[in-house]
CSV table of all heavy atoms in Angstrom, one decimal:
chain,number,residue,atom,x,y,z
A,1243,LEU,N,-11.7,-27.7,11.9
A,1243,LEU,CA,-10.7,-26.7,11.8
A,1243,LEU,C,-10.1,-26.6,10.4
A,1243,LEU,O,-10.1,-25.7,9.8
A,1243,LEU,CB,-9.7,-26.7,12.9
A,1243,LEU,CG,-8.6,-25.7,12.9
A,1243,LEU,CD1,-9.1,-24.3,12.9
A,1243,LEU,CD2,-7.5,-26.0,13.9
A,1244,VAL,N,-9.8,-27.9,10.0
A,1244,VAL,CA,-9.2,-28.1,8.7
A,1244,VAL,C,-10.1,-27.6,7.5
A,1244,VAL,O,-9.7,-26.9,6.6
A,1244,VAL,CB,-8.7,-29.6,8.4
A,1244,VAL,CG1,-8.4,-29.8,7.0
A,1244,VAL,CG2,-7.5,-29.9,9.3
A,1245,ARG,N,-11.4,-28.0,7.7
A,1245,ARG,CA,-12.3,-27.7,6.7
A,1245,ARG,C,-12.5,-26.1,6.7
A,1245,ARG,O,-12.6,-25.5,5.6
A,1245,ARG,CB,-13.8,-28.2,6.9
A,1245,ARG,CG,-13.7,-29.7,6.5
A,1245,ARG,CD,-15.2,-30.2,6.5
A,1245,ARG,NE,-15.9,-30.1,7.7
A,1245,ARG,CZ,-15.9,-30.8,8.8
A,1245,ARG,NH1,-15.2,-31.9,8.9
A,1245,ARG,NH2,-16.7,-30.4,10.0
A,1246,THR,N,-12.6,-25.5,7.8
A,1246,THR,CA,-12.7,-24.1,8.0
A,1246,THR,C,-11.5,-23.4,7.4
A,1246,THR,O,-11.6,-22.4,6.5
A,1246,THR,CB,-12.9,-23.6,9.4
A,1246,THR,OG1,-14.1,-24.3,9.9
A,1246,THR,CG2,-13.0,-22.1,9.5
A,1247,LEU,N,-10.3,-23.8,7.6
A,1247,LEU,CA,-9.1,-23.3,7.0
A,1247,LEU,C,-9.0,-23.4,5.6
A,1247,LEU,O,-8.6,-22.5,4.8
A,1247,LEU,CB,-7.8,-23.9,7.8
A,1247,LEU,CG,-7.6,-23.5,9.2
A,1247,LEU,CD1,-6.6,-24.5,9.8
A,1247,LEU,CD2,-7.2,-22.1,9.3
A,1248,ASP,N,-9.4,-24.5,5.1
A,1248,ASP,CA,-9.4,-24.8,3.6
A,1248,ASP,C,-10.3,-23.6,2.9
A,1248,ASP,O,-10.0,-23.2,1.9
A,1248,ASP,CB,-10.0,-26.2,3.3
A,1248,ASP,CG,-8.8,-27.2,3.4
A,1248,ASP,OD1,-7.6,-26.8,3.3
A,1248,ASP,OD2,-9.2,-28.4,3.4
A,1249,ALA,N,-11.6,-23.5,3.5
A,1249,ALA,CA,-12.5,-22.6,2.9
A,1249,ALA,C,-11.9,-21.2,3.0
A,1249,ALA,O,-12.0,-20.5,2.0
A,1249,ALA,CB,-13.8,-22.8,3.6
A,1250,GLU,N,-11.5,-20.8,4.2
A,1250,GLU,CA,-11.0,-19.4,4.4
A,1250,GLU,C,-9.7,-19.2,3.4
A,1250,GLU,O,-9.6,-18.2,2.8
A,1250,GLU,CB,-10.6,-19.1,5.8
A,1250,GLU,CG,-10.2,-17.8,5.9
A,1250,GLU,CD,-9.7,-17.4,7.5
A,1250,GLU,OE1,-9.5,-18.3,8.2
A,1250,GLU,OE2,-10.0,-16.2,7.7
A,1251,ASN,N,-8.8,-20.2,3.4
A,1251,ASN,CA,-7.6,-20.0,2.6
A,1251,ASN,C,-8.0,-19.9,1.1
A,1251,ASN,O,-7.4,-19.1,0.4
A,1251,ASN,CB,-6.6,-21.1,2.8
A,1251,ASN,CG,-6.0,-21.0,4.1
A,1251,ASN,OD1,-6.0,-20.0,4.8
A,1251,ASN,ND2,-5.4,-22.2,4.6
A,1252,ASN,N,-8.9,-20.6,0.6
A,1252,ASN,CA,-9.4,-20.5,-0.7
A,1252,ASN,C,-10.0,-19.1,-1.0
A,1252,ASN,O,-9.7,-18.5,-2.0
A,1252,ASN,CB,-10.4,-21.6,-1.0
A,1252,ASN,CG,-9.7,-23.1,-1.2
A,1252,ASN,OD1,-8.5,-23.0,-1.4
A,1252,ASN,ND2,-10.5,-24.0,-1.0
A,1253,ALA,N,-10.9,-18.7,0.0
A,1253,ALA,CA,-11.5,-17.4,-0.2
A,1253,ALA,C,-10.4,-16.3,-0.2
A,1253,ALA,O,-10.5,-15.4,-1.1
A,1253,ALA,CB,-12.4,-17.1,0.9
A,1254,LEU,N,-9.4,-16.4,0.6
A,1254,LEU,CA,-8.4,-15.3,0.7
A,1254,LEU,C,-7.5,-15.4,-0.6
A,1254,LEU,O,-7.3,-14.3,-1.1
A,1254,LEU,CB,-7.5,-15.6,1.9
A,1254,LEU,CG,-8.0,-15.1,3.3
A,1254,LEU,CD1,-7.3,-15.8,4.5
A,1254,LEU,CD2,-8.3,-13.8,3.5
A,1255,ALA,N,-7.3,-16.5,-1.0
A,1255,ALA,CA,-6.5,-16.6,-2.3
A,1255,ALA,C,-7.3,-16.1,-3.5
A,1255,ALA,O,-6.6,-15.5,-4.5
A,1255,ALA,CB,-6.1,-18.1,-2.5
A,1256,ALA,N,-8.6,-16.2,-3.4
A,1256,ALA,CA,-9.4,-15.7,-4.5
A,1256,ALA,C,-9.9,-14.2,-4.3
A,1256,ALA,O,-10.6,-13.6,-5.0
A,1256,ALA,CB,-10.7,-16.4,-4.6
A,1257,LEU,N,-9.2,-13.6,-3.2
A,1257,LEU,CA,-9.5,-12.1,-3.0
A,1257,LEU,C,-10.9,-12.0,-2.5
A,1257,LEU,O,-11.6,-10.9,-2.8
A,1257,LEU,CB,-9.1,-11.2,-3.9
A,1257,LEU,CG,-7.5,-11.4,-4.4
A,1257,LEU,CD1,-7.3,-10.3,-5.5
A,1257,LEU,CD2,-6.6,-11.1,-3.2
A,1258,ASP,N,-11.7,-13.0,-1.9
A,1258,ASP,CA,-13.0,-12.8,-1.6
A,1258,ASP,C,-13.1,-12.9,0.0
A,1258,ASP,O,-13.0,-13.9,0.6
A,1258,ASP,CB,-13.8,-14.1,-2.0
A,1258,ASP,CG,-15.2,-14.1,-1.7
A,1258,ASP,OD1,-15.7,-13.2,-1.1
A,1258,ASP,OD2,-15.8,-15.1,-2.1
A,1259,ALA,N,-13.3,-11.7,0.5
A,1259,ALA,CA,-13.3,-11.5,2.0
A,1259,ALA,C,-14.7,-11.5,2.6
A,1259,ALA,O,-14.9,-11.0,3.7
A,1259,ALA,CB,-12.4,-10.4,2.3
A,1260,ARG,N,-15.7,-11.8,1.8
A,1260,ARG,CA,-17.1,-11.7,2.3
A,1260,ARG,C,-17.4,-12.4,3.5
A,1260,ARG,O,-18.2,-12.0,4.3
A,1260,ARG,CB,-18.0,-12.1,1.2
A,1260,ARG,CG,-18.1,-11.1,0.0
A,1260,ARG,CD,-19.0,-11.6,-1.0
A,1260,ARG,NE,-18.4,-12.8,-1.6
A,1260,ARG,CZ,-19.0,-13.6,-2.5
A,1260,ARG,NH1,-20.3,-13.4,-2.8
A,1260,ARG,NH2,-18.3,-14.7,-2.9
A,1261,HIS,N,-16.7,-13.6,3.8
A,1261,HIS,CA,-17.1,-14.5,4.9
A,1261,HIS,C,-16.1,-14.6,6.0
A,1261,HIS,O,-16.0,-15.5,6.9
A,1261,HIS,CB,-17.5,-15.9,4.4
A,1261,HIS,CG,-18.6,-15.9,3.5
A,1261,HIS,ND1,-19.9,-15.6,3.7
A,1261,HIS,CD2,-18.5,-15.9,2.0
A,1261,HIS,CE1,-20.6,-15.6,2.6
A,1261,HIS,NE2,-19.8,-15.8,1.6
A,1262,ILE,N,-15.2,-13.6,6.1
A,1262,ILE,CA,-14.0,-13.7,7.0
A,1262,ILE,C,-14.5,-13.7,8.5
A,1262,ILE,O,-13.9,-14.4,9.3
A,1262,ILE,CB,-13.1,-12.4,6.8
A,1262,ILE,CG1,-12.3,-12.4,5.5
A,1262,ILE,CG2,-12.0,-12.2,7.9
A,1262,ILE,CD1,-11.5,-13.7,5.3
Side-chain angles (χ1 to χ4, degrees):
L1243 178 62
V1244 166
R1245 284 192 308 273
T1246 300
L1247 289 167
D1248 279 341
E1250 184 177 27
N1251 291 344
N1252 288 335
L1254 289 169
L1257 305 177
D1258 179 4
R1260 290 177 291 170
H1261 304 288
I1262 293 297

